[in-house]
Amino acid sequence: MALRSAAAVASRSLRRLITGTSSRTLPIISQAIWDWEKLESSTTAFVSGRLFSSTSISSFIPPPLPPSAQQREKPEPSTNLFVSGLSKRTTTEKLNEAFAKFGEVVHARVVTDRVTGYSKGFGFVKYATLEDAAKGIEGMDGKFLDGWVIFAEYARPRPPPEHHSAPQHSQRPY
């Protein structure tokens, strides 16, 4: 309200300076300010067809996770690690070097795009023992590699492939 009354009392040149507009558009701006002040005093209002509220919603409860997501939270410890967040420039050799500091790496592989040859952003590291794998996760999870923060966790086993039998087409007699 104070801004509205100050704008109404101000001289024409001062109004142009404050609002950047002529005196013809000042009533429109003043009306918008007055409407906004009314909006602030109410708790719920419709603006542009949307409902806004100044009260917080504290009773929000997120929906429960589906059973498949609950099961996927903690993979079983294994010697194979899944590494995500890799840079496109990360190579298998760099991945092997980084993880070899924490134990004997049997095999490391960065998954690459067939066309460009660049990393897809993830890879796998296989250690000789479970203890080395645990040290590898502890040592590299949340650390930088090639300027990117990477994440290391135990790899989840690949689900068995589903065998879809080909449809049996009966031969048509001619």
Side-chain angles (χ1 to χ4, degrees):
M1 278 254 192
L3 183 60
R4 182 174 179 247
S5 59
V9 175
S11 67
R12 179 183 296 181
S13 60
L14 186 58
R15 279 184 278 188
R16 285 184 185 155
L17 181 65
I18 292 171
T19 62
T21 59
S22 67
S23 60
R24 283 184 250 161
T25 57
L26 187 60
I28 297 169
I29 294 169
S30 297
Q31 182 65 38
I33 292 170
W34 186 74
D35 289 344
W36 185 254
E37 288 171 348
K38 278 185 12 183
L39 177 67
E40 283 182 337
S41 64
S42 68
T43 58
T44 305
F46 281 98
V47 177
S48 300
R50 295 198 171 124
L51 179 67
F52 290 92
S53 175
S54 62
T55 59
S56 64
I57 302 172
S58 61
S59 61
F60 175 74
I61 299 171
L65 292 174
S68 61
Q70 290 173 350
Q71 293 170 355
R72 290 185 54 125
E73 289 197 17
K74 288 249 180 177
E76 297 234 355
S78 71
T79 57
N80 201 16
L81 304 183
F82 173 73
V83 183
S84 60
L86 297 176
S87 164
K88 289 193 180 296
R89 302 286 181 189
T90 302
T91 62
T92 297
E93 292 79 26
K94 287 182 185 178
L95 185 67
N96 193 351
E97 280 178 28
F99 279 85
K101 298 173 188 171
F102 304 100
E104 183 186 348
V105 175
V106 175
H107 179 69
R109 182 172 70 102
V110 172
V111 178
T112 57
D113 183 79
R114 289 180 186 174
V115 177
T116 64
Y118 290 129
S119 165
K120 283 190 171 186
F122 66 95
F124 297 92
V125 176
K126 185 169 182 76
Y127 278 102
T129 64
L130 284 172
E131 292 81 20
D132 289 345
K135 288 179 195 171
I137 289 175
E138 186 179 323
M140 291 302 293
D141 187 40
K143 302 297 190 282
F144 284 94
L145 180 64
D146 289 337
W148 287 52
V149 176
I150 64 167
F151 302 97
E153 63 180 344
Y154 293 114
R156 294 181 177 91
R158 185 182 284 185
E162 296 179 13
H163 293 291
H164 296 295
S165 60
Q168 298 296 326
H169 296 291
S170 59
Q171 294 184 357
R172 295 186 210 164
Y174 292 99

